[in-house]
Amino acid sequence: RHERILTWELAGEDECVLREQVARMVKVAEGGDPTEVKQHLHGIVPEYREPTPEELRLQPAPITPDVQLPAASMPPPPKPIDLGERTRQSFDGAIAGTLLVLASPIWAAMVLEGRVRGQRDILVREVRIGRSRRRGQRRLPRNAQAEIDRRSLERRTQDLLGERITCARFRSDLGPVSRFVAQRRLDKLPWLFNILRGEMALVGPKPEKESLVLRWHHLVPDYSRRFTVLPGMTGLAQVSGISDNDADGVVRRVHYDLFYVEHRSLVLDLRTLFRTFAVVLRRPRLVEAPMVRTEGARPAA
């Protein structure tokens, strides 16, 4: 078995003659004389030639230019602290704390009514969508990740345009106090805790539910821009009196939110807060009374 054959072109001889020559070369090869093997091989393949020592040497690899790596770039400097935003958050936190103190009688009345009704939980907790998730950390810590299931995978593939925040509101089915609180739009008072945690502001777009975001975010081209600011406990859309039960109302409310995003200022926030107080005092909201079924009662004929 000679692996140094560079050219192999067989002559047009008979197969029987070629087989006899190969058999004789095999017998010679068994003797172990390389010179006789080469002679017999040259007789079978006249084009056979022994490679020269220069050809057997390893040829050096061609010289290639060095790869020029880009210079290491320094990380961008941290963004300067926005004093206006810090001032706004401090202002919102101070007012939220003051409102919580003033609303303590409402909390006490709700707790008392819940105890009378045998209900210990007076709050309804909801998951809403806040400011854009791209401003904060998108991955949760490993110890805070929920168990992976089909629903969680589906939620991760959905673009909700913002971070999930947990909000609570007062129940409206405990009794007359809870219905009065809901009629006067005071059932959102627990949102003041979200303001203290920095998840919401006093004035801004309403924190929407996940289902509504997935339903309406294709309706308005700039719908995602309303999530570039913190959601608000009140806002221009909330005090406009426009319902969001239909597509036309949603579009008009989003236009109010986009106007606020473009022109928000402390003066606009103060005007919106005063307008909110007027709405709470003058425009009660209709709340359906819960149906109470008594034991032994029969439906009317």
Side-chain angles (χ1 to χ4, degrees):
R1 288 175 291 180
H2 299 273
E3 298 177 356
R4 293 183 293 177
I5 299 176
L6 302 181
T7 306
W8 186 289
E9 292 181 0
L10 296 177
E13 299 181 356
D14 295 336
E15 184 179 355
C16 296
V17 178
L18 184 60
R19 286 181 179 274
E20 291 179 358
Q21 293 178 357
V22 173
R24 288 196 299 269
M25 190 183 68
V26 171
K27 292 182 180 179
V28 173
E30 292 177 353
D33 189 355
T35 304
E36 294 183 5
V37 172
K38 293 177 183 179
Q39 292 177 356
H40 282 78
L41 182 61
H42 184 71
I44 299 175
V45 185
E47 293 81 5
Y48 166 75
R49 67 180 178 84
E50 189 75 13
T52 61
E54 289 75 11
E55 293 175 345
L56 293 176
R57 293 177 184 174
L58 297 177
Q59 297 296 331
I63 300 176
T64 57
D66 298 335
V67 178
Q68 300 294 332
L69 297 177
S73 59
M74 298 297 294
K79 296 182 179 180
I81 300 176
D82 190 354
L83 296 180
E85 190 69 21
R86 289 294 181 87
T87 304
R88 183 188 300 270
Q89 292 181 358
S90 301
F91 175 76
D92 291 347
I95 294 183
T98 303
L99 292 178
L100 279 175
V101 174
L102 296 177
S104 56
I106 299 178
W107 283 84
M110 290 292 298
V111 171
L112 181 60
E113 187 176 49
R115 294 297 177 87
V116 172
R117 300 284 180 172
Q119 301 290 334
R120 299 182 60 89
D121 195 357
I122 61 174
L123 300 177
V124 177
R125 291 169 178 82
E126 302 171 333
V127 176
R128 304 255 179 166
I129 304 303
R131 190 165 59 176
S132 174
R133 70 183 70 180
R134 293 172 179 83
R135 290 177 172 264
Q137 186 178 3
R138 300 187 65 176
R139 296 184 180 270
L140 294 175
R142 184 169 298 180
N143 57 359
Q145 292 179 353
E147 183 180 356
I148 298 177
D149 55 2
R150 181 178 178 183
R151 293 183 179 179
S152 63
L153 292 176
E154 291 177 355
R155 287 194 298 266
R156 291 181 183 180
T157 58
Q158 296 170 349
D159 188 8
L160 295 176
L161 306 179
E163 295 180 337
R164 293 184 177 91
I165 58 176
T166 302
C167 303
R169 58 180 176 83
F170 287 130
R171 295 174 55 177
S172 61
D173 58 348
L174 296 178
V177 176
S178 63
R179 287 195 295 270
F180 174 81
V181 170
Q183 289 174 357
R184 292 298 175 177
R185 296 177 173 83
L186 299 177
D187 54 339
K188 303 297 192 302
L189 284 177
W191 287 8
L192 295 173
F193 289 103
N194 296 94
I195 297 176
L196 295 178
R197 291 195 296 263
E199 299 173 344
M200 292 179 57
L202 283 175
V203 181
K206 179 183 177 182
E208 293 289 357
K209 298 180 181 179
E210 296 182 7
S211 58
L212 296 181
V213 173
L214 295 175
R215 180 180 180 183
W216 300 114
H217 77 282
H218 292 300
L219 190 61
V220 183
D222 294 336
Y223 185 76
S224 59
R225 289 177 52 212
R226 68 184 299 277
F227 297 93
T228 57
V229 298
L230 287 174
M233 189 173 180
T234 184
L236 297 179
Q238 291 90 307
V239 300
S240 63
I242 300 174
S243 175
D244 56 354
N245 295 329
D246 54 357
D248 184 52
V250 171
V251 172
R252 295 177 62 187
R253 288 173 67 98
V254 171
H255 288 166
Y256 274 108
D257 293 334
L258 295 180
F259 178 85
Y260 174 78
V261 172
E262 292 293 334
H263 303 88
R264 67 174 187 150
S265 62
L266 183 59
V267 176
L268 183 59
D269 289 352
L270 292 177
R271 293 180 59 184
T272 306
L273 289 176
F274 285 122
R275 179 72 180 274
T276 302
F277 294 145
V279 170
V280 170
L281 296 177
R282 299 178 183 178
R283 194 190 304 168
R285 182 173 55 185
L286 296 178
V287 178
E288 296 181 359
M291 297 180 62
V292 180
R293 297 183 60 182
T294 59
E295 297 181 359
R298 297 181 180 178

